[in-house]
Amino acid sequence: MSDVRIDGPDDAPATLLLAHGAGTGKEHDVLDAIAQGLAGPQRRVVRFDFPYRSAGRRLPDPLPRLQDALRAAVAAHGRGAIALAGKSLGGRVASTLADELAARALLCFGYPFHPPKDASRLRTAHLAALRTPTLVLQGERDPFGDRAEVAGYALSPAITVHWLLDGDHDLRPRRASGRTAHVNLAEAIDAAGAFLRHHGA
């Protein structure tokens, strides 16, 4: 896997593997902000494209192939203390492998708890037994799982949810909220950085 983007120094003692969402790639502006905000002297951030994205397709690969791609990224570029992160689909894939890959921590930016407008199709079964310390950065009105819905899910005690005021799936608030997308994203990045530091990643 050679088509990656790396922020941070090669000799950083920790590596964060950051996976993109279903409709974007590793160069998406939100991922760019997250990577630059979390990279530093103590941490390198590695971004990669899932196979369907590299091939120019829009429809995501089946979950096993996405998992293999993340495993390959960790094998090729993971060094030091490993943490996993992802936006939406990327976070879901990372959450299925965090325990297997012995990640120090897991970050999910906008976790897709269910498809929009179909709250009956939950993607939460594996989250009940997750052992990896996990921080979910979620908009309060995310159509993939809003604050009221998530409160009723059986989630592992290893999972903490940080709610972004009036945020949608990309954490963007409505103008009437008095917040801005920049403020919400900056809050999410700050919370993610503190979580990684707390868990040695």
Side-chain angles (χ1 to χ4, degrees), residues 111-181:
Y111 187 86
F113 289 97
H114 60 74
K117 301 180 181 179
D118 192 355
S120 65
R121 292 174 55 198
L122 291 178
R123 300 158 173 159
T124 58
H126 68 290
L127 298 180
L130 188 65
R131 300 186 306 276
T132 303
T134 299
L135 180 64
V136 176
L137 295 309
Q138 195 84 354
E140 288 184 323
R141 57 186 182 87
D142 191 328
F144 290 78
D146 63 27
R147 190 164 192 159
E149 292 169 338
V150 175
Y153 298 155
L155 301 179
S156 162
I159 299 174
T160 300
V161 183
H162 182 107
W163 293 102
L164 284 304
L165 182 66
D166 199 55
D168 62 11
H169 193 53
D170 290 323
L171 312 182
R172 295 174 302 200
R174 294 166 292 193
R175 183 176 299 178
S177 71
R179 302 272 286 190
T180 66

Side-chain angles (χ1 to χ4, degrees), residues 56-81:
R57 300 192 307 271
R58 297 183 64 182
L59 187 65
D61 299 303
L63 181 59
R65 191 167 188 209
L66 299 174
Q67 291 171 320
D68 285 345
L70 179 52
R71 290 187 183 100
V74 171
H77 301 285
R79 62 183 70 154

Side-chain angles (χ1 to χ4, degrees), residues 11-92:
D11 61 351
T15 301
L16 176 68
L17 281 296
L18 177 59
H20 62 79
T24 65
K26 68 179 183 298
E27 304 294 343
H28 188 259
D29 56 353
V30 170
L31 249 66
D32 202 46
I34 292 170
Q36 293 182 23
L38 294 178
Q42 300 300 309
R43 185 185 307 116
R44 58 201 286 269
V45 180
V46 178
R47 285 178 275 168
F48 64 97
D49 282 331
F50 286 118
Y52 75 94
R53 187 76 185 184
S54 298
R57 300 192 307 271
R58 297 183 64 182
L59 187 65
D61 299 303
L63 181 59
R65 191 167 188 209
L66 299 174
Q67 291 171 320
D68 285 345
L70 179 52
R71 290 187 183 100
V74 171
H77 301 285
R79 62 183 70 154
I82 302 299
L84 303 179
K87 174 70 180 77
S88 192
L89 172 71
R92 181 188 176 199

Side-chain angles (χ1 to χ4, degrees), residues 19-20 85-96 106-109 111-112:
H20 62 79
K87 174 70 180 77
S88 192
L89 172 71
R92 181 188 176 199
V93 176
S95 72
T96 67
L106 168 66
L107 304 172
C108 299
F109 292 85
Y111 187 86

